[in-house]
Coordinates of all heavy atoms in Angstrom, one line a residue:
Y37 N -0.9 -3.9 -1.3 CA -1.4 -4.8 -2.3 C -2.5 -4.2 -3.1 O -3.1 -3.2 -2.7 CB -2.0 -6.0 -1.6 CG -0.9 -7.0 -0.9 CD1 -0.3 -6.6 0.2 CD2 -0.5 -8.1 -1.5 CE1 0.6 -7.3 0.9 CE2 0.5 -8.9 -0.9 CZ 1.0 -8.4 0.3 OH 2.0 -9.2 1.0
R38 N -2.8 -4.7 -4.3 CA -3.9 -4.2 -5.1 C -4.5 -5.4 -5.8 O -3.9 -6.5 -6.0 CB -3.4 -3.3 -6.2 CG -2.5 -3.8 -7.2 CD -1.9 -2.6 -8.1 NE -1.1 -3.1 -9.2 CZ -0.4 -2.3 -10.0 NH1 -0.4 -0.9 -9.8 NH2 0.4 -2.8 -10.9
Q39 N -5.9 -5.2 -6.1 CA -6.6 -6.2 -6.8 C -7.5 -5.4 -7.8 O -8.4 -4.6 -7.5 CB -7.4 -7.0 -5.9 CG -8.2 -8.2 -6.5 CD -8.7 -9.1 -5.4 OE1 -8.9 -8.8 -4.3 NE2 -9.1 -10.3 -5.9
A40 N -7.2 -5.8 -9.0 CA -8.0 -5.4 -10.2 C -9.1 -6.3 -10.5 O -9.0 -7.5 -10.1 CB -7.2 -5.1 -11.4
P41 N -10.3 -5.8 -11.0 CA -11.3 -6.7 -11.4 C -10.9 -7.9 -12.2 O -10.3 -7.8 -13.1 CB -12.3 -5.8 -12.2 CG -12.0 -4.4 -11.8 CD -10.4 -4.4 -11.5
G42 N -11.3 -9.1 -11.7 CA -11.1 -10.3 -12.4 C -9.7 -10.8 -12.2 O -9.2 -11.8 -12.8
K43 N -8.9 -10.2 -11.4 CA -7.4 -10.6 -11.1 C -7.2 -10.9 -9.8 O -7.9 -10.5 -8.8 CB -6.5 -9.5 -11.7 CG -6.6 -9.3 -13.1 CD -5.4 -8.2 -13.5 CE -5.5 -8.1 -15.0 NZ -4.4 -7.1 -15.5
Q44 N -6.1 -11.6 -9.4 CA -5.8 -11.9 -8.0 C -5.1 -10.6 -7.4 O -4.5 -9.8 -8.1 CB -4.7 -13.0 -8.1 CG -5.3 -14.4 -8.5 CD -4.4 -15.6 -8.3 OE1 -3.2 -15.4 -8.3 NE2 -4.9 -16.7 -8.0
R45 N -5.2 -10.7 -6.1 CA -4.5 -9.6 -5.3 C -3.0 -9.8 -5.4 O -2.4 -10.9 -5.4 CB -4.9 -9.7 -3.9 CG -4.5 -8.6 -3.0 CD -5.1 -8.6 -1.7 NE -6.6 -8.5 -1.7 CZ -7.3 -8.3 -0.6 NH1 -6.7 -8.3 0.7 NH2 -8.6 -8.4 -0.6
E46 N -2.3 -8.7 -5.7 CA -0.8 -8.8 -6.0 C -0.1 -7.7 -5.0 O -0.7 -6.7 -4.6 CB -0.5 -8.5 -7.3 CG -0.9 -7.2 -7.9 CD -0.5 -6.9 -9.3 OE1 0.2 -7.8 -9.9 OE2 -0.7 -5.7 -9.8
L47 N 1.1 -8.2 -4.7 CA 1.9 -7.2 -3.9 C 2.4 -6.0 -4.7 O 2.8 -6.3 -5.9 CB 3.2 -7.9 -3.3 CG 4.1 -7.1 -2.6 CD1 3.6 -6.6 -1.3 CD2 5.5 -7.8 -2.4
V48 N 2.2 -4.9 -4.2 CA 2.8 -3.6 -4.9 C 4.1 -3.2 -4.3 O 5.1 -3.1 -5.0 CB 1.7 -2.5 -4.7 CG1 2.3 -1.2 -5.3 CG2 0.3 -2.8 -5.4
A49 N 4.1 -3.2 -3.0 CA 5.3 -2.8 -2.3 C 5.2 -3.2 -0.9 O 4.2 -3.2 -0.3 CB 5.6 -1.3 -2.3
D50 N 6.4 -3.5 -0.2 CA 6.4 -3.7 1.2 C 7.7 -3.1 1.9 O 8.6 -2.8 1.1 CB 6.2 -5.2 1.7 CG 7.2 -6.1 1.1 OD1 8.3 -5.7 0.8 OD2 7.0 -7.3 1.1
L51 N 7.5 -2.9 3.1 CA 8.6 -2.2 3.9 C 8.8 -2.9 5.2 O 7.8 -3.0 6.0 CB 8.2 -0.8 4.1 CG 8.9 0.2 5.0 CD1 10.3 0.4 4.4 CD2 8.2 1.5 5.1
T52 N 10.0 -3.3 5.5 CA 10.3 -4.0 6.7 C 10.4 -3.0 7.9 O 10.7 -1.8 7.6 CB 11.4 -4.9 6.7 OG1 12.7 -4.1 6.6 CG2 11.4 -5.8 5.4
S53 N 10.5 -3.5 9.1 CA 10.7 -2.7 10.2 C 12.2 -2.0 10.3 O 12.4 -1.0 10.9 CB 10.6 -3.4 11.5 OG 11.5 -4.5 11.6
R54 N 13.0 -2.6 9.4 CA 14.4 -2.1 9.3 C 14.6 -1.1 8.2 O 15.7 -0.6 8.0 CB 15.4 -3.1 9.3 CG 15.5 -4.0 10.5 CD 16.7 -5.0 10.5 NE 16.8 -5.8 11.7 CZ 17.9 -6.6 12.0 NH1 18.8 -6.8 11.0 NH2 18.0 -7.2 13.1
G55 N 13.5 -1.0 7.5 CA 13.6 0.0 6.4 C 13.8 -0.6 5.0 O 14.0 0.2 4.0
Y56 N 13.9 -1.9 4.8 CA 14.1 -2.6 3.6 C 12.8 -2.5 2.8 O 11.8 -2.9 3.3 CB 14.6 -4.0 3.7 CG 16.0 -4.0 4.3 CD1 16.1 -4.5 5.7 CD2 17.1 -3.7 3.6 CE1 17.3 -4.5 6.3 CE2 18.4 -3.8 4.2 CZ 18.5 -4.2 5.6 OH 19.8 -4.3 6.1
T57 N 13.0 -2.2 1.5 CA 11.7 -2.1 0.7 C 11.8 -3.1 -0.5 O 12.9 -3.6 -0.9 CB 11.6 -0.7 0.0 OG1 12.8 -0.4 -0.7 CG2 11.4 0.3 1.1
N58 N 10.6 -3.4 -1.0 CA 10.6 -4.4 -2.0 C 9.3 -3.8 -2.9 O 8.4 -3.5 -2.4 CB 10.2 -5.7 -1.6 CG 9.9 -6.8 -2.7 OD1 10.7 -6.9 -3.6 ND2 8.9 -7.5 -2.6
Y59 N 9.6 -3.8 -4.2 CA 8.5 -3.3 -5.2 C 8.3 -4.3 -6.3 O 9.1 -5.0 -6.8 CB 9.0 -2.0 -5.8 CG 9.2 -0.8 -4.9 CD1 10.4 -0.5 -4.3 CD2 8.1 -0.1 -4.5 CE1 10.5 0.5 -3.4 CE2 8.1 1.0 -3.7 CZ 9.4 1.3 -3.1 OH 9.5 2.3 -2.2
A60 N 7.0 -4.3 -6.7 CA 6.7 -5.1 -8.0 C 7.4 -4.4 -9.1 O 7.5 -3.1 -9.2 CB 5.1 -5.1 -8.1
D61 N 7.8 -5.2 -10.0 CA 8.5 -4.6 -11.2 C 7.8 -3.6 -12.0 O 8.2 -2.6 -12.5 CB 8.9 -5.7 -12.3 CG 10.0 -6.6 -11.7 OD1 10.7 -6.2 -10.8 OD2 10.1 -7.8 -12.3
S62 N 6.4 -3.7 -12.0 CA 5.5 -2.8 -12.7 C 5.4 -1.5 -12.1 O 5.0 -0.5 -12.8 CB 4.1 -3.4 -12.8 OG 3.6 -3.7 -11.5
V63 N 5.8 -1.3 -10.8 CA 5.7 0.1 -10.2 C 7.1 0.6 -9.9 O 7.1 1.7 -9.3 CB 4.8 0.0 -8.9 CG1 3.5 -0.7 -9.3 CG2 5.5 -0.8 -7.8
K64 N 8.2 -0.1 -10.0 CA 9.5 0.3 -9.7 C 9.7 1.6 -10.4 O 9.5 1.9 -11.6 CB 10.6 -0.7 -10.0 CG 10.7 -1.9 -9.1 CD 11.8 -2.8 -9.5 CE 11.9 -4.0 -8.5 NZ 12.9 -5.0 -9.0
G65 N 10.3 2.7 -9.7 CA 10.7 3.9 -10.2 C 9.5 4.9 -10.3 O 9.6 6.1 -10.5
R66 N 8.2 4.4 -9.9 CA 7.1 5.3 -9.9 C 6.5 5.3 -8.5 O 5.9 6.5 -8.3 CB 6.1 4.8 -11.0 CG 6.5 4.7 -12.4 CD 5.4 4.3 -13.4 NE 4.8 3.0 -13.1 CZ 3.5 2.8 -12.8 NH1 2.6 3.8 -12.7 NH2 3.1 1.5 -12.6
F67 N 6.5 4.2 -7.8 CA 5.8 4.2 -6.4 C 6.9 4.3 -5.4 O 7.9 3.6 -5.5 CB 4.9 3.0 -6.4 CG 3.8 3.0 -7.2 CD1 3.5 3.9 -8.3 CD2 2.8 2.0 -7.0 CE1 2.3 3.9 -9.0 CE2 1.6 1.9 -7.8 CZ 1.5 2.9 -8.8
T68 N 6.5 4.9 -4.3 CA 7.4 4.8 -3.1 C 6.6 4.5 -1.9 O 5.6 5.2 -1.6 CB 8.1 6.2 -3.0 OG1 8.8 6.5 -4.2 CG2 9.1 6.1 -1.7
I69 N 7.0 3.5 -1.0 CA 6.4 3.1 0.2 C 7.2 3.7 1.4 O 8.5 3.8 1.3 CB 6.3 1.6 0.4 CG1 5.5 1.4 1.6 CG2 7.6 0.9 0.3 CD1 5.1 -0.2 1.8
S70 N 6.6 4.3 2.3 CA 7.2 4.9 3.4 C 6.4 4.8 4.6 O 5.3 4.4 4.6 CB 7.6 6.4 3.1 OG 6.5 7.1 3.0
R71 N 7.0 5.0 5.8 CA 6.3 5.0 7.1 C 6.6 6.1 8.0 O 7.7 6.5 8.0 CB 6.3 3.6 7.7 CG 7.8 3.3 8.2 CD 8.1 1.9 8.4 NE 7.2 1.3 9.4 CZ 7.1 -0.2 9.4 NH1 7.8 -0.9 8.6 NH2 6.2 -0.7 10.2
D72 N 5.7 6.5 8.8 CA 5.9 7.5 9.8 C 5.5 6.9 11.2 O 4.3 6.8 11.4 CB 5.0 8.7 9.6 CG 5.3 9.9 10.6 OD1 5.8 9.6 11.7 OD2 5.0 11.0 10.3
N73 N 6.4 6.3 11.9 CA 6.2 5.6 13.0 C 5.5 6.4 14.1 O 4.6 5.9 14.9 CB 7.4 5.0 13.7 CG 7.9 3.9 12.7 OD1 7.2 3.2 12.1 ND2 9.3 3.6 12.7
A74 N 5.8 7.7 14.2 CA 5.2 8.6 15.2 C 3.7 8.7 14.9 O 2.9 8.9 15.9 CB 5.9 10.0 15.1
K75 N 3.3 8.6 13.7 CA 1.9 8.7 13.4 C 1.2 7.3 13.2 O 0.1 7.2 12.8 CB 1.6 9.5 12.1 CG 2.1 10.9 12.2 CD 1.8 11.8 11.0 CE 2.2 13.2 11.2 NZ 1.9 14.0 10.0
N76 N 2.0 6.2 13.4 CA 1.6 4.9 13.1 C 0.9 4.7 11.7 O -0.2 4.2 11.6 CB 0.5 4.5 14.2 CG 0.8 3.1 14.7 OD1 1.8 2.5 14.7 ND2 -0.3 2.4 15.1
T77 N 1.6 5.3 10.7 CA 1.0 5.4 9.4 C 2.0 4.9 8.3 O 3.2 5.2 8.5 CB 0.6 6.9 9.1 OG1 -0.4 7.2 10.1 CG2 0.0 7.0 7.7
V78 N 1.5 4.3 7.3 CA 2.2 3.9 6.2 C 1.7 4.6 4.9 O 0.5 4.7 4.8 CB 2.3 2.3 6.0 CG1 3.0 2.0 4.7 CG2 2.9 1.7 7.2
Y79 N 2.6 5.0 4.0 CA 2.1 5.7 2.8 C 2.5 5.0 1.5 O 3.5 4.2 1.6 CB 2.8 7.1 2.8 CG 2.5 7.9 4.0 CD1 3.4 8.1 5.0 CD2 1.3 8.7 4.1 CE1 3.2 8.9 6.2 CE2 1.0 9.5 5.2 CZ 2.0 9.6 6.2 OH 1.6 10.2 7.4
L80 N 1.8 5.3 0.5 CA 2.3 4.8 -0.8 C 2.0 6.0 -1.7 O 1.0 6.4 -2.1 CB 1.4 3.7 -1.3 CG 1.8 3.1 -2.7 CD1 3.2 2.4 -2.5 CD2 0.9 2.1 -3.2
Q81 N 3.3 6.6 -2.1 CA 3.3 7.7 -3.1 C 3.2 7.1 -4.4 O 4.2 6.3 -4.9 CB 4.5 8.6 -2.8 CG 4.6 9.7 -3.9 CD 3.5 10.7 -3.7 OE1 3.2 11.1 -2.5 NE2 2.9 11.2 -4.8
M82 N 2.3 7.4 -5.3 CA 2.1 6.9 -6.6 C 2.3 8.0 -7.7 O 1.4 8.9 -7.7 CB 0.9 6.2 -6.8 CG 0.7 5.1 -5.7 SD -0.9 4.1 -6.0 CE -2.1 5.4 -5.8
N83 N 3.3 8.0 -8.5 CA 3.5 9.0 -9.5 C 3.5 8.3 -10.9 O 3.6 7.1 -11.0 CB 4.9 9.6 -9.3 CG 5.0 10.4 -8.0 OD1 4.0 11.0 -7.5 ND2 6.3 10.4 -7.5
G84 N 3.2 9.0 -11.9 CA 3.2 8.5 -13.2 C 2.2 7.4 -13.4 O 2.5 6.4 -14.0
L85 N 1.0 7.7 -12.8 CA 0.0 6.6 -12.8 C -0.4 6.2 -14.2 O -0.5 7.1 -15.2 CB -1.2 7.0 -12.0 CG -1.0 6.9 -10.4 CD1 -1.9 7.7 -9.6 CD2 -1.1 5.4 -10.1
K86 N -0.7 5.0 -14.5 CA -1.1 4.4 -15.7 C -2.5 3.7 -15.5 O -2.9 3.3 -14.4 CB -0.2 3.4 -16.2 CG 1.2 3.9 -16.2 CD 2.1 2.7 -16.6 CE 3.6 3.2 -16.7 NZ 4.6 2.0 -17.1
P87 N -3.3 3.7 -16.6 CA -4.6 3.0 -16.5 C -4.5 1.6 -15.9 O -5.5 1.1 -15.1 CB -5.1 2.9 -18.0 CG -4.5 4.1 -18.6 CD -3.1 4.2 -17.9
E88 N -3.5 0.9 -16.2 CA -3.3 -0.5 -15.6 C -3.0 -0.5 -14.1 O -2.9 -1.5 -13.5 CB -2.1 -1.3 -16.3 CG -0.9 -0.5 -16.4 CD -0.7 0.2 -17.8 OE1 -1.7 0.8 -18.2 OE2 0.4 0.1 -18.3
D89 N -2.8 0.7 -13.5 CA -2.8 0.8 -12.0 C -4.2 0.8 -11.4 O -4.2 0.8 -10.1 CB -1.9 2.0 -11.6 CG -0.6 2.0 -12.0 OD1 0.2 0.9 -12.0 OD2 0.0 3.1 -12.6
T90 N -5.1 1.0 -12.2 CA -6.4 0.9 -11.5 C -6.8 -0.4 -10.9 O -6.7 -1.5 -11.3 CB -7.5 1.1 -12.7 OG1 -7.3 2.3 -13.4 CG2 -9.0 1.0 -12.2
A91 N -7.2 -0.2 -9.6 CA -7.5 -1.4 -8.7 C -7.9 -0.8 -7.4 O -7.8 0.3 -7.1 CB -6.1 -2.2 -8.5
V92 N -8.4 -1.8 -6.5 CA -8.5 -1.5 -5.1 C -7.2 -1.8 -4.4 O -6.6 -2.9 -4.5 CB -9.6 -2.4 -4.5 CG1 -9.8 -2.1 -3.0 CG2 -11.0 -2.1 -5.2
Y93 N -6.8 -0.8 -3.6 CA -5.4 -0.9 -3.0 C -5.7 -1.2 -1.5 O -6.5 -0.5 -0.8 CB -4.7 0.4 -3.1 CG -4.0 0.4 -4.5 CD1 -4.8 0.7 -5.6 CD2 -2.7 0.3 -4.6 CE1 -4.3 0.8 -6.9 CE2 -2.1 0.4 -6.0 CZ -2.9 0.6 -7.0 OH -2.3 0.7 -8.3
Y94 N -5.0 -2.2 -1.0 CA -5.2 -2.7 0.3 C -3.9 -2.6 1.2 O -2.8 -2.8 0.7 CB -5.6 -4.1 0.5 CG -6.9 -4.5 -0.2 CD1 -7.0 -4.8 -1.6 CD2 -8.0 -4.5 0.5 CE1 -8.2 -5.1 -2.1 CE2 -9.2 -4.8 -0.1 CZ -9.3 -5.1 -1.4 OH -10.5 -5.4 -2.0
C95 N -4.0 -2.2 2.4 CA -2.9 -2.0 3.3 C -2.8 -3.4 4.1 O -3.9 -3.9 4.5 CB -3.1 -0.9 4.2 SG -1.8 -0.6 5.5
N96 N -1.6 -3.9 4.3 CA -1.4 -5.1 5.1 C -0.3 -4.9 6.1 O 0.7 -4.3 5.8 CB -1.0 -6.2 4.1 CG -0.7 -7.5 4.8 OD1 0.5 -7.8 5.2 ND2 -1.7 -8.3 5.1
A97 N -0.6 -5.4 7.3 CA 0.4 -5.5 8.3 C 0.7 -6.9 8.8 O -0.1 -7.7 9.1 CB -0.1 -4.7 9.6
R98 N 2.0 -7.2 8.7 CA 2.4 -8.6 9.0 C 3.4 -8.8 10.1 O 4.4 -8.1 10.0 CB 2.9 -9.3 7.6 CG 3.2 -10.8 7.7 CD 3.5 -11.3 6.3 NE 4.9 -11.1 6.0 CZ 5.3 -10.3 5.1 NH1 4.4 -9.5 4.4 NH2 6.6 -10.1 4.7
W99 N 3.1 -9.7 10.9 CA 4.1 -10.0 12.0 C 4.2 -11.6 12.0 O 3.3 -12.3 12.4 CB 3.6 -9.5 13.4 CG 4.6 -9.8 14.4 CD1 5.0 -10.9 15.1 CD2 5.3 -8.8 15.2 NE1 5.8 -10.7 16.0 CE2 6.1 -9.3 16.1 CE3 5.3 -7.3 15.1 CZ2 7.0 -8.6 17.0 CZ3 6.1 -6.6 16.0 CH2 6.9 -7.3 16.9
G100 N 5.3 -12.1 11.6 CA 5.4 -13.5 11.5 C 4.4 -14.1 10.5 O 4.3 -13.7 9.4
A101 N 3.6 -15.1 11.0 CA 2.5 -15.7 10.2 C 1.2 -15.0 10.4 O 0.2 -15.3 9.7 CB 2.4 -17.2 10.6
T102 N 1.1 -13.9 11.1 CA -0.1 -13.2 11.4 C -0.2 -12.0 10.6 O 0.7 -11.1 10.5 CB -0.3 -12.8 12.8 OG1 -0.2 -14.0 13.6 CG2 -1.6 -12.1 13.1
G103 N -1.2 -11.8 9.8 CA -1.4 -10.7 9.0 C -2.8 -10.0 9.2 O -3.8 -10.7 9.5
Y104 N -2.8 -8.6 8.9 CA -4.1 -7.9 9.0 C -4.3 -7.1 7.8 O -3.3 -6.6 7.2 CB -4.0 -7.0 10.2 CG -3.8 -7.7 11.6 CD1 -2.5 -7.8 12.1 CD2 -4.9 -8.2 12.3 CE1 -2.3 -8.5 13.2 CE2 -4.6 -8.9 13.5 CZ -3.3 -9.0 14.0 OH -3.1 -9.7 15.2
W105 N -5.5 -6.8 7.4 CA -5.9 -6.1 6.1 C -6.8 -5.0 6.5 O -7.6 -5.1 7.4 CB -6.6 -7.0 5.2 CG -5.8 -8.1 4.6 CD1 -5.7 -9.4 5.1 CD2 -4.9 -8.1 3.5 NE1 -4.8 -10.1 4.4 CE2 -4.3 -9.3 3.3 CE3 -4.6 -7.1 2.6 CZ2 -3.4 -9.6 2.3 CZ3 -3.7 -7.3 1.6 CH2 -3.1 -8.7 1.5

Side-chain angles (χ1 to χ4, degrees):
Y37 291 72
R38 66 187 181 187
Q39 188 167 18
K43 295 188 177 181
Q44 290 188 330
R45 191 173 297 189
E46 62 176 1
L47 174 69
V48 176
D50 61 19
L51 173 62
T52 72
S53 59
R54 293 189 176 188
Y56 295 106
T57 58
N58 176 48
Y59 294 93
D61 287 343
S62 60
V63 307
K64 282 181 181 176
R66 300 188 297 123
F67 292 10
T68 303
I69 187 171
S70 62
R71 66 200 305 164
D72 185 335
N73 291 331
K75 296 182 178 180
N76 222 31
T77 300
V78 177
Y79 303 99
L80 184 68
Q81 178 67 44
M82 306 187 293
N83 299 326
L85 283 160
K86 304 176 181 180
E88 51 264 43
D89 295 318
T90 295
V92 178
Y93 283 70
Y94 297 90
C95 179
N96 175 269
R98 188 172 79 250
W99 185 293
T102 302
Y104 303 92
W105 293 95

